[in-house]
Each structure stands twice: as structure tokens, then as C-alpha cells.
Amino acid sequence: MSTYTIAGGGIAGASIGYHLAKAGHTVTLYDRADTGQATAASAGIICPWVSQKRNKNWYRLVTAGARYYPEFVETIEAETGVSTGYKREGALCLFKDDVVLEKGFNRIHSKKENAPEMGEVYKVQREDVKKMHPHLTDLYPGVYVEGGGQIEGANLLKALKAGFLHHGGQWINQDFEHKKAEGLLIYASGAWAIEQGYQPEIRHQRSEVFHFEVEEAVKTADTPVVMALGPIYLVELGTNKYAIGTTHVETESFSAEPSQENYEYLKGLAQRYFPDSQIRDINMMVGLKPFARDYMPYIGYVEKNVFVANGLGSTGLTASPVLGREVAKFLNGEETELNFDDYSYL
């Protein structure tokens, strides 16, 4: 067995730590719990098949993540007794008109042959949208993907930490210093990678999410994730509670204070997509999402005894569980599903 030190207790670092500890290694993880950690502010949509990104390496990573989720969640919840909030009520992708709907359906449905975990994929006409989601506007038709799901980022992190400790890992809530490293050092420090001094360059985007409640007599739960027009999503957080996001602004700031401008923008979108509902504010969440060159994550060695896993951006919750599994296999010298040459591009 080997010794590992992990710098960063976000979803990627926690997943790597969990899988390494489960494999019997000695693992120490340092986390200073910076405000603005992307995990806590993410809506956690697990539906990579609807993306229009063309990068094949990225797509292999996120689809492997979605495929691994049911098995992973079942295992970690059984080990820890911590609910991750994972559920699959499907995803409803809205399109502005019937012409775009047809193109979107053909694009999404064509991926099903290589991804049976998508389940049923079919078109939803405007008049049927409210049967799936009573609060939602019926202005737009959509495509329904049965296998679409969601995960609660904060709860998933709690489960990973509990699983890590369950398998003998040591979690230290303090800043990491390089001299503290024992064995192989793994950096998974997210947006704060700027402090570590290693390539690749990690930049970050500020992402804001508006949480709100629908004040109606009709109680609605177990609704599908909604992928709305543009880079906008709506995710149910419980009975009549939702989150809408997201804004993506590249920044050098590490402030996690919500902006009035984005609050007004997102609340306006909530009223647009829930036009017949009375909306009550809950709060605004801010996350700092790291990204690397060409928005591709970097996973690999940067020098002999230093390994980096970073740059997952908005796909962190989709990809991190399988990333942890694959990194543990790779470091164990086992066969991996992913080819790490695709992600260690320095």
C-alpha cells in the first residue's frame, strides 16, 4: 500500500481520497473550506448527453461519470448512511420553436445507441409540458431524457467525507503546506490552484444561482431537471422549492458575495419560466468554478511526485465520482476506463 497527501477537499479531492482510502492506502487530505467552493453552489445536474460540446475526451469523461453514478451512490450511501440527494426524474430540454426542437431531438437521440443509460428519449409538445412540470411555462416544446438526474453537491461532499473517514482516511481542516506532504502529493485545489505554482494554469469563473420557493396551494415535487433556453437550468430542491442558474463570469476575484445585478437577472428568469407562480426568495449561492486550457480538465502528473486533478468547471459533480475511481485505479497500476493521456496534456 502507498501513502498519499491531497490538497483540496472539494468534490474532486474528496472523491480521489475516498477511492484511494477504500483501496487500502494511507491518505491524508487537507481542506481549509474556502467560501465560494464550487461544490456547495452547484445544482448538480447529471445529464451530459444533451450537451453540444464537441470535445470527445470531455464527453467520454462526463458520460462515464453519469454511467457510474447509480452504482456509486448505492455503495456510498450504504457505507455511510448519508443521503446524497441523488435522484433520476429525467431532464426536460426546452427549445424555442418546433424547427429547433426537431434538430435537438435528432442530436440527443442519436447518442442513445452508445449510452443506453439515457433511457427513453422523446419529444414533448407545449401542451404536455405542464403535465411533467405544473409550474413551468408552456411557451416552449422540449425533449425529455429519462436518465437525466440530479445530485445535491453539499450532501454528496458529506457522504464522500464520511466514506473517506470510514475507510481510514485522515481529514485535516487547515491550510496545506508543501512540507507537510507525505508520499505522492495530489493537488485538487479548484479555483485556488493559483497558489500552488504548478502548470497547467487554472483560471476560474464566478457562478451564481438563485434559490426560490413557489407560493402555491398545489404542492409539486419530483419534477424533471429543466434545461431552459441558453445556459439556464431549473432544478427542484424539494416541494415547491427550486434553483435557477447560472451566470458564468471569468474573474480573478475570490469574492463569494452575490451581486444585485445577477440576483435581478436570475429572479427575472424565474418569473419568466414560472409565469403563473408567486415567487419567494430563499437565497443566492455563489461558486468559483475552475477551468484549464480549452475548458478541458487536467488529470495527471506535473512532476515526479506531484499529481494534479483540476479544471472540471461546471461538470465537476458529474465527473468527480468516476474521476476518483479512475485516478485510484491509475495510481494502483490497474486498467482504467479512461485514457489518462487524453487529460495530462502538458
Side-chain angles (χ1 to χ4, degrees), residues 103-337:
K103 292 179 179 178
F105 172 76
N106 291 336
R107 173 177 56 82
I108 296 168
H109 191 272
S110 68
K111 299 179 181 180
K112 185 179 173 181
E113 181 179 355
N114 296 317
E117 61 273 15
M118 290 174 68
E120 294 299 316
V121 178
Y122 54 84
K123 288 178 275 190
V124 181
Q125 301 305 321
R126 292 170 177 81
E127 59 270 20
D128 295 322
V129 165
K130 281 190 173 293
K131 295 176 184 177
M132 287 189 168
H133 203 309
H135 301 306
L136 192 61
T137 179
D138 59 2
L139 286 177
Y140 309 108
V143 173
Y144 179 72
V145 181
E146 183 184 31
Q150 66 185 83
I151 187 82
E152 295 177 12
N155 286 347
L156 175 59
L157 187 56
K158 288 178 185 177
L160 279 167
K161 182 177 180 179
F164 174 71
L165 296 173
H166 171 75
H167 290 293
Q170 183 181 16
W171 188 292
I172 300 177
N173 288 311
Q174 65 183 49
D175 199 2
F176 170 74
E177 297 176 24
H178 201 286
K179 64 183 179 181
K180 298 176 181 177
E182 296 182 9
L184 177 67
L185 172 58
I186 300 174
Y187 272 113
S189 45
W192 291 268
I194 191 172
E195 300 174 13
Q196 69 199 29
Y198 289 102
Q199 291 296 319
E201 179 186 4
I202 300 294
R203 305 191 303 279
H204 64 274
Q205 293 177 330
R206 175 184 168 91
S207 172
E208 297 192 47
V209 183
F210 173 53
H211 290 213
F212 64 95
E213 185 172 8
V214 175
E215 296 184 337
E216 291 185 13
V218 177
K219 301 295 183 183
T220 302
D222 299 328
T223 55
V225 169
V226 177
M227 313 296 283
L229 305 187
I232 301 299
Y233 60 75
L234 275 155
V235 179
E236 179 213 307
L237 301 175
T239 302
N240 282 20
K241 294 180 180 179
Y242 298 90
I244 188 168
T246 182
T247 58
H248 290 291
V249 179
E250 187 168 344
T251 179
E252 294 182 357
S253 169
F254 286 85
S255 170
E257 287 296 316
S259 69
Q260 183 67 22
E261 179 183 2
N262 283 328
Y263 160 72
E264 293 173 0
Y265 168 67
L266 291 172
K267 186 167 185 178
L269 285 174
Q271 292 169 334
R272 170 185 171 186
Y273 284 102
F274 285 10
D276 302 321
S277 300
Q278 294 294 318
I279 290 173
R280 184 180 69 82
D281 296 11
I282 297 178
N283 61 3
M284 286 280 288
M285 300 288 288
V286 177
L288 304 176
K289 298 185 176 182
F291 63 95
R293 189 182 76 190
D294 300 326
Y295 296 93
M296 268 294 293
Y298 184 90
I299 312 166
Y301 286 96
V302 292
E303 60 179 49
K304 183 178 180 180
N305 207 39
V306 180
F307 191 95
V308 167
N310 210 335
L312 290 169
S314 59
T315 56
L317 285 178
T318 299
S320 287
V322 81
L323 180 148
R325 183 195 72 184
E326 293 291 286
V327 168
K329 286 185 175 182
F330 177 72
L331 296 177
N332 283 338
E334 301 172 15
E335 183 179 355
T336 58
E337 179 180 345

Side-chain angles (χ1 to χ4, degrees), residues 48-70:
W49 316 285
V50 304
S51 173
Q52 297 189 59
K53 288 182 71 170
R54 296 179 181 273
N55 189 299
K56 293 180 180 179
N57 295 334
W58 173 87
Y59 185 72
R60 273 193 290 272
L61 173 62
V62 294
T63 52
R67 191 163 52 249
Y68 180 47
Y69 247 99

